[in-house]
Amino acid sequence: MVDYIRTMVRGDHEANDRVEARLDQLGWDGFPTLLGAVFYFAVNRRFNERTPPGEIMRFVADIRAAAPAGAPEIDANASETLIRAAVDPDVETAIDPQMAGRIQGLVILAILGDEAITDDDLDVLLADAVALANRV
């Protein structure tokens, strides 16, 4: 599952398709938890509890506008809430799991994609995410 996220972040679509096919056969058990952990670490690289709400709103508007044609829509309010919850554990969320997964994927790509993170730093982030996911 880590390879799926790594290839997604790196934009290696061919490898990502191969990993996805393998996971379709083996099963995706645990993937939502891992995705949530990667999302947590990615968001905390970009934002913190002092980030003004307007900055998060602009970020969400930008990722929604940049989404490729035909990509599933993400809800702006749910996106902002999920991002705030990643930096402030007191924020309550009640977001549909499928919507949360779409939001998490797009936010991870927006923060970590386009070579915004070195391979070494990505390795550390993914290892931290695996450790966190294993504790949940």
Side-chain angles (χ1 to χ4, degrees), residues 57-116:
M57 290 169 67
R58 281 187 296 282
F59 174 80
V60 168
D62 289 347
I63 65 171
R64 291 180 77 215
E73 284 281 320
I74 61 167
D75 180 86
N77 291 329
S79 300
E80 293 163 19
T81 299
L82 209 53
I83 290 168
R84 282 194 305 274
V87 295
D88 181 355
D90 293 331
V91 172
E92 300 219 7
T93 61
I95 299 169
D96 173 75
Q98 285 186 324
M99 176 59 67
R102 288 195 301 259
I103 292 166
Q104 290 168 339
L106 282 177
V107 168
I108 289 166
L109 285 175
I111 294 173
L112 303 179
D114 294 328
E115 310 217 7

Side-chain angles (χ1 to χ4, degrees), residues 1 3-5 7-8 12-28 31:
M1 286 183 243
D3 287 339
Y4 180 81
I5 294 173
T7 57
M8 177 183 79
D12 187 347
H13 303 291
E14 187 177 306
N16 188 261
D17 289 345
R18 285 193 306 271
V19 173
E20 183 176 357
R22 190 173 73 236
L23 287 170
D24 285 344
Q25 292 175 342
L26 299 174
W28 291 82
F31 183 74

